[in-house]
């Protein structure tokens, strides 16, 4: 009888240990999946507006270039609006710095924005060859534009309107027609994208 109890105890212990070893990796995997889900951050409204879901390289590249043009136009529009902001759109009484000094910062940022953006993104794509490079450069530049738009939105809506109680700029958000007009005079240089284009000669 004692031998039976010992044997059953050993078998039970082996089963428990085996269960722990088989359960543990599954548990770790479940925790890892949950953890990765938590790390996934939802896209901002600006990112959603300028996302390209095309899978084919040709169409994705064309889409990214088009979205870049539109984002650059929105960013420039908003920079210019903040450069020209005046009372009561901004509540100067609540401001510690001079309004003209702050507008000058936005102006300098706008004037130098594309040079810095392009240099960074072209350097990021250095030493690479292939048809994906123009799309890669445009995607990098689009990231800069999205971040700039989000910063401009923050300055307008959170600082000028919410914190300083300004009335805000009535046409701060450009219409599609406004963007179309800006694109005509400010289009992104595509460079050589596909073999056979004039730019590739």
């Amino acid at each position: 009888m004692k031998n039976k109890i010992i044997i059953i105890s050993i078998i039970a212990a082996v089963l428990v240990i085996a269960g722990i070893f088989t359960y543990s990796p599954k548990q770790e995997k479940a925790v890892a999946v949950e953890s990765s889900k938590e790390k996934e951050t939802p896209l901002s409204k600006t990112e959603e507006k300028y996302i390209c879901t095309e899978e084919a390289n040709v169409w994705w590249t064309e889409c990214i270039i088009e979205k870049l043009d539109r984002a650059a136009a929105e960013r420039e529009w908003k920079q210019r609006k903040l450069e020209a902001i005046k009372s009561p759109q901004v509540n100067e009484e609540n401001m510690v710095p001079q309004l003209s000094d702050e507008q000058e910062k936005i102006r300098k940022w706008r004037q130098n924005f594309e040079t810095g953006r392009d240099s960074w993104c072209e350097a990021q794509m250095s030493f690479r060859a292939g048809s994906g490079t123009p799309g890669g450069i445009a995607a990098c530049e689009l990231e800069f534009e999205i971040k700039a738009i989000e910063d401009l939105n923050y300055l307008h809506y959170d600082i000028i309107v919410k914190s300083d109680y300004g009335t805000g700029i009535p046409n701060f958000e450009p219409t599609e027609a406004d963007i179309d007009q800006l694109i005509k005079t400010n289009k992104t240089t595509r460079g050589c994208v596909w073999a056979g284009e004039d730019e590739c000669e």
Side-chain angles (χ1 to χ4, degrees), residues 49-54 57-75 117 134-139 141-143 145-146 149 176 179-180 182-184 186-191 193-194:
K49 186 170 26 170
Y50 292 113
I51 197 165
C52 286
T53 56
E54 287 78 358
N57 187 34
V58 175
W59 303 122
W60 176 80
T61 299
E62 295 295 343
C63 173
I64 283 286
I65 290 170
E66 181 191 340
K67 298 286 186 179
L68 172 60
D69 280 340
R70 301 196 80 72
E74 179 181 347
R75 184 258 312 153
R117 177 200 74 182
I137 291 172
E141 291 170 352
L142 182 57
E143 284 179 31
E145 296 291 353
I146 288 168
I149 291 166
E176 291 299 307
I179 287 178
D180 290 339
L182 254 179
I183 286 173
K184 283 180 188 174
N186 200 19
K187 198 162 187 177
T188 303
T189 304
R190 292 169 79 254
V193 179
W194 310 118

Side-chain angles (χ1 to χ4, degrees), residues 29-121:
K29 188 176 180 182
V31 168
V33 168
E34 281 302 311
S35 168
S36 69
K37 279 181 185 173
E38 285 172 17
K39 285 179 186 173
E40 287 176 13
T41 54
L43 294 175
S44 69
K45 287 182 181 177
T46 309
E47 288 170 320
E48 282 178 4
K49 186 170 26 170
Y50 292 113
I51 197 165
C52 286
T53 56
E54 287 78 358
E55 291 183 10
N57 187 34
V58 175
W59 303 122
W60 176 80
T61 299
E62 295 295 343
C63 173
I64 283 286
I65 290 170
E66 181 191 340
K67 298 286 186 179
L68 172 60
D69 280 340
R70 301 196 80 72
E74 179 181 347
R75 184 258 312 153
E76 183 177 340
W77 173 275
K78 290 181 174 182
Q79 284 173 324
R80 287 183 181 277
K81 290 296 173 187
L82 288 176
E83 283 174 41
I85 196 170
K86 56 188 184 296
S87 185
Q89 296 171 347
V90 62
N91 186 349
E92 289 188 75
E93 290 177 14
N94 282 1
M95 289 183 68
V96 176
Q98 283 284 343
L99 176 60
S100 58
D101 292 345
E102 303 312 291
Q103 289 171 310
E104 185 59 25
K105 290 175 189 174
I106 302 290
R107 183 174 293 107
K108 283 181 181 173
W109 183 34
R110 176 180 58 80
Q111 289 170 343
N112 298 298
F113 186 88
E114 289 177 15
T115 304
R117 177 200 74 182
D118 294 353
S119 296
W120 182 306
C121 291

